[in-house]
Amino acid sequence: MSESTIIVERSERVGVIRLNRPKAYNALSGILINELLDALRSFESDTNIGAIILTGNDKGFCAGADIKEQSELSFVNAYNQDYLKNLNDGFFAVHKPIIGVINGIALGGGCELAMMCDILYAAETATFGQPEITLGTIPGAGGTQRLIRAIGKSKAMHMILTGETISAKEAEAAGLVAKVLPLEEVFSAALKTASKIAGFSAPVVAMAKEAVNEAEELGLKNGLHFESRLYHATFGLEDHAEGFQAFLAKPKRTAQWK
Ligand code: CAA
């Protein structure tokens, strides 16, 4: 039997997925994509999991689409199987927050996979790039759409049209990543953050994630309307009553989320 292309672990309420195709810099083969989507679905349906971490292995985060597999795909085959669109669709279906820990290269589909996550922590040694142009193609897993939202048109256009990479520090300054830390600290820092998020009310965390993500889909007026609706909906949750009662108690106490 062939080895799994991902490693799945748990740390209390945090589900951890490590990409693990070391011989190909964790490139996104069809098998890896299917295993990754299965792991996401399994964490999504597990009530004992409150947040997910996606990271790479010693070789880095991910070198993008599997170049050998893509080289064999015709237009019709790619179109018919929604090549890589299935990855975006799978991430859209996850209500739990996903923290991407970018521990090295994130190139092409690897950079796009990072951007499918909700929060990015990067090692100082991480690099981000969209080198598709050097292969005679364009970013096809969200790069042309998400990069501009993350870092603005000029920087996104520069990366996509030149294929040049940016460093972790540049990515942080541009707003692509939330934190940059030394390689040996980045995973444990992300785990601490994921555990903190997983400790809050699960429905409230999911609603907050949904409201933020909708900001990219809706204009300001519709976005504010959507936010109000979800905000008011939290008033009906037991966790809302608990959170407010815990704050107002004398002395103030820690909320016990259901
Ligand atoms: N797909 C398949 N195999 C890959 C790969 C990829 N994306 N990236 C690296 N590999 C394989 C290499 O073919 C090589 O395999 P062999 O040992 O069998 O020859 C092995 O990984 C090691 O690669 P290198 O010898 O090139 O290692 P390096 O340390 O010199 O360079 C690297 C590492 C910078 C990641 C370099 O391999 C590289 O530039 N990879 C391609 C990155 C890229 O262009 N990504 C975009 C892909 S297209 C895409 O992602 C489309 C999209 O939008 C979704």
Side-chain angles (χ1 to χ4, degrees):
M1 216 174 87
S2 63
E3 242 175 69
S4 176
T5 58
I6 58 166
I7 297 168
V8 179
E9 297 161 357
R10 282 155 188 272
S11 176
E12 298 182 346
R13 285 184 51 76
V14 178
V16 178
I17 304 171
R18 297 177 190 273
L19 304 179
N20 191 38
R21 278 189 80 203
K23 288 185 185 146
Y25 279 88
N26 300 330
L28 301 167
S29 62
I31 292 175
L32 185 146
I33 290 169
N34 286 336
E35 291 185 348
L36 171 56
L37 292 177
D38 281 349
L40 281 178
R41 272 191 290 269
S42 155
F43 282 146
E44 172 71 1
S45 61
D46 185 340
T47 52
N48 293 316
I49 292 295
I52 299 165
I53 287 184
L54 175 64
T55 190
N57 58 4
D58 290 349
K59 299 295 271 187
F61 183 65
C62 173
D66 186 298
I67 292 175
K68 184 161 185 300
E69 286 187 11
Q70 183 168 336
S71 73
E72 289 160 4
L73 273 181
S74 67
F75 162 70
V76 172
N77 285 341
Y79 186 89
N80 283 344
Q81 60 179 259
D82 275 340
Y83 180 60
L84 291 179
K85 185 178 174 300
N86 58 348
L87 195 54
N88 267 315
D89 291 346
F91 273 72
F92 271 126
V94 179
H95 295 87
K96 294 175 185 174
I98 304 173
I99 301 187
V101 179
I102 315 306
N103 55 319
I105 54 143
L107 297 176
C111 186
E112 294 168 304
L113 181 65
M115 291 189 286
M116 291 175 206
C117 301
D118 301 304
I119 299 174
L120 294 183
Y121 275 32
E124 285 165 348
T125 47
T127 53
F128 298 82
Q130 299 288 165
E132 288 87 346
I133 197 131
T134 67
L135 291 162
T137 185
I138 68 167
T144 65
Q145 305 302 301
R146 288 208 172 94
L147 204 52
I148 182 172
R149 287 167 165 84
I151 68 175
K153 178 174 169 179
S154 186
K155 282 180 194 292
M157 206 60 109
H158 191 269
M159 284 175 70
I160 289 167
L161 295 184
T162 65
E164 288 173 17
T165 57
I166 59 170
S167 67
K169 276 284 168 209
E170 286 171 303
E172 185 186 31
L176 181 60
V177 308
K179 277 187 198 292
V180 178
L181 291 155
L183 178 60
E184 56 283 6
E185 290 170 25
V186 68
F187 182 80
S188 54
L191 186 57
K192 206 168 154 202
T193 300
S195 302
K196 179 177 185 175
I197 295 169
F200 290 125
S201 163
V204 174
V205 167
M207 286 157 113
K209 167 171 167 166
E210 186 177 359
V212 173
N213 280 338
E214 282 301 314
E216 298 198 329
E217 309 296 330
L218 305 171
L220 183 60
K221 192 166 174 225
N222 288 332
L224 290 173
H225 179 76
F226 183 75
E227 182 192 80
S228 290
R229 287 290 176 257
L230 281 185
Y231 171 56
H232 296 153
T234 68
F235 296 9
L237 294 171
E238 275 182 62
D239 281 342
H240 177 275
E242 168 62 9
F244 276 67
Q245 280 161 18
F247 182 89
L248 293 172
K250 300 260 184 280
K252 198 188 283 183
R253 61 176 175 79
T254 306
Q256 302 298 313
W257 308 116
K258 300 278 165 5

